[in-house]
Amino acid sequence: MITLLLLPPLAWALLLALYAKRFIALWHEPVWCCPVLVIESDDWGAGMLSQAAALDDLRQLLNCHCDHTRRHPVMTLGIVLAIADTEAIRAATDRKYLSIVLDDARLAPVLTALRTGIVEGVFAPQLHGMEHYWPAAVLVAAQTDKRVEAWLTGDTLPRTEDLPSPLQSRWTAATVLPSLPLSISEINEAVATEARTFQRIFGMTAQVAVPTTFVWNDEVERAWSAHGVRCIVTPGMRLEYRDAQGRPAGDGRKILNGECGQNDVLYVVRDQYFEPALGHCAEQGLAALARQTACARPTLLETHRFNFLGESASVAMQELNNLLDKARANYRTLRFLSTQEIAEAMAHKDTELIETSLRPRLRAWLVRIHILPRFTKLARFTGLVWPLRLLGKWAA
Ligand SMILES: [Zn+2]
């Protein structure tokens, strides 16, 4: 009889021990006081001139919406600072990499559109990379891959989206698979150049970096941090290379909001998606906002420029407009912030945005632990669900 009575507490202790590390990490993850929404859009910058009209349309759309503090929604733009100068590469007597940088006169319409949105406060530039690839790796790949050769020597401004996927990772040499790491000196030199270029073009230090294809490593973090980057956007993990099949791969360790990497660079998690060209409607964005808000987390919606260019553009604009309309209607206290502001609020524990009192933190923690893989099932099976419900009642 006594053994039977002891069984549930023993099972609970076992379950708690099994999840202890993740429970503690979730307890330390900042708890947001209000729903937060930011549209994170990558791949803008050096490239096709058609971006200028798309950016103007986006800027006007964002200007039509406000949160309850009268703040417009912010679209953070992952900026690519340079692109292959295909004309110059073709004309050169020997094959070498030459590029057009975003402040080249030929790209003036794009830079003007970007700057206008930044001044209006609806765009926030973030560092995506000098290029969306490692130029030396693309040059080597072009020797044996006709598609890459054609990409590098075509007669228009190339689209980085058209490169073979492994080559779109900047911080690994994907000329062979699995890809090879870059040397520390190569990384340091490349980061110094991109940080300097970002500063020159936008008149500000790049404080938020979004690694291309989310492949980066400690050396990149250290170099970025040395040049002023304070925050790295992650999908909740770090990928470090391309595996034998060309897929991004890493150690699989989970990353939560507010955790720190090398030199205290702060991670912000972006793991929700809004890609209308792939069939996502406003509803998917709203569902993501609901999920994140239930967990007292900010909603960073990932979207790419390809949605807003070409055939999908009008549908994408309409869905974005619907999303912003409904988000505001569904959440009276919704805040539109930039990713840099989100990072700063977490770093400084800004009490206007971040909860410090016990009960709201406990409520968020209870929601978060229940979405851990298999935990809810095991909590029900062992009966741990009952003391957790009591805890939830107390925190309500
Ligand atoms: Zn990208």
Side-chain angles (χ1 to χ4, degrees):
M1 185 65 188
I2 292 173
T3 321
L4 269 178
L5 281 174
L6 280 176
L7 218 51
L10 270 174
W12 299 349
L14 213 64
L15 189 53
L16 291 173
L18 189 67
Y19 282 87
K21 216 171 150 193
R22 281 171 284 182
F23 283 180
I24 293 167
L26 287 171
W27 179 252
H28 289 294
E29 184 187 356
V31 169
W32 285 74
C33 304
C34 55
V36 172
L37 180 61
V38 54
I39 312 293
E40 282 250 328
S41 191
D42 287 346
D43 303 343
W44 298 91
M48 315 84 78
L49 298 184
S50 57
Q51 292 174 95
L55 288 164
D56 282 339
D57 290 346
L58 282 166
R59 186 171 58 73
Q60 281 160 25
L61 185 151
L62 297 167
N63 268 307
C64 292
H65 298 268
C66 283
D67 67 14
H68 71 286
T69 69
R70 310 298 302 159
R71 171 83 186 268
H72 296 304
V74 180
M75 184 175 252
T76 60
L77 301 175
I79 301 284
V80 173
L81 295 161
I83 188 79
D85 186 343
T86 51
E87 201 184 325
I89 292 172
R90 265 201 326 272
T93 47
D94 56 336
R95 181 49 46 84
K96 60 183 171 192
Y97 179 75
L98 297 161
S99 67
I100 305 177
V101 180
L102 182 53
D103 55 356
D104 186 293
R106 286 170 283 178
L107 302 181
V110 179
L111 187 53
T112 302
L114 285 168
R115 283 183 173 149
T116 309
I118 294 167
V119 168
E120 290 175 359
V122 292
F123 292 159
Q126 300 183 156
L127 178 64
H128 204 25
M130 188 71 191
E131 280 97 354
H132 205 299
Y133 45 87
W134 186 248
V138 171
L139 261 189
V140 172
Q143 292 171 8
T144 52
D145 188 329
K146 288 209 159 27
R147 288 169 307 163
V148 181
E149 169 71 6
W151 186 91
L152 208 53
T153 56
D155 52 9
T156 51
L157 284 163
R159 291 161 32 97
T160 50
E161 295 93 333
D162 294 338
L163 275 175
S165 169
L167 287 176
Q168 293 181 31
S169 294
R170 174 164 171 76
W171 299 115
T172 189
T175 38
V176 289
L177 295 174
S179 63
L180 300 171
L182 305 176
S183 72
I184 297 176
S185 62
E186 283 175 314
I187 291 172
N188 285 343
E189 197 181 317
V191 165
T193 304
E194 66 182 23
R196 202 170 47 237
T197 308
F198 189 100
Q199 174 82 47
R200 183 186 77 223
I201 294 176
F202 294 107
M204 62 176 101
T205 304
Q207 293 199 31
V208 180
V210 186
T212 55
T213 73
F214 289 126
V215 171
W216 81 104
N217 61 20
D218 279 348
E219 300 307 336
V220 177
E221 278 183 18
R222 274 195 277 269
W224 270 338
S225 167
H227 287 88
V229 169
R230 303 302 325 132
C231 163
I232 294 176
V233 176
T234 95
M237 67 181 107
R238 187 172 75 179
L239 302 160
E240 298 197 12
Y241 64 100
R242 293 287 185 149
D243 69 12
Q245 280 72 45
R247 294 171 305 208
D251 62 9
R253 187 179 70 84
K254 292 276 177 235
I255 295 175
L256 293 174
N257 280 316
E259 287 184 4
C260 288
Q262 299 299 312
N263 299 345
D264 284 338
V265 71
L266 188 132
Y267 295 127
V268 176
V269 177
R270 177 176 97 188
D271 57 0
Q272 308 295 321
Y273 306 93
F274 179 66
E275 310 273 19
L278 305 180
H280 294 173
C281 305
E283 275 61 37
Q284 270 91 352
L286 288 168
L289 178 60
R291 277 194 302 275
Q292 294 294 97
T293 302
C295 292
R297 288 175 171 142
T299 306
L300 282 80
L301 277 187
E302 176 173 311
T303 190
H304 291 83
R305 74 169 177 184
F306 66 76
N307 293 285
F308 303 98
L309 298 171
E311 280 175 16
S312 60
S314 63
V315 172
M317 294 291 287
Q318 201 178 325
E319 292 303 327
L320 178 60
N321 196 47
N322 288 345
L323 167 64
L324 293 170
D325 261 343
K326 290 179 182 166
R328 177 80 176 91
N330 292 0
Y331 299 94
R332 200 178 39 83
T333 57
L334 179 70
R335 294 285 301 268
F336 295 130
L337 298 174
S338 69
T339 302
Q340 188 177 331
E341 289 167 319
I342 289 171
E344 281 167 5
M346 294 198 288
H348 303 129
K349 294 193 175 60
D350 178 351
T351 52
E352 197 195 323
L353 296 165
I354 305 291
E355 285 286 2
T356 50
S357 46
L358 181 63
R359 288 187 187 201
R361 290 186 63 205
L362 195 55
R363 282 201 299 274
W365 181 79
L366 285 166
V367 177
R368 291 170 179 182
I369 64 169
H370 279 94
I371 54 174
L372 286 173
R374 291 178 294 282
F375 176 71
T376 301
K377 216 180 241 179
L378 289 168
R380 278 206 196 106
F381 181 70
T382 57
L384 181 64
V385 75
W386 296 108
L388 288 177
R389 275 185 193 164
L390 280 178
L391 201 58
K393 281 213 165 77
W394 177 79

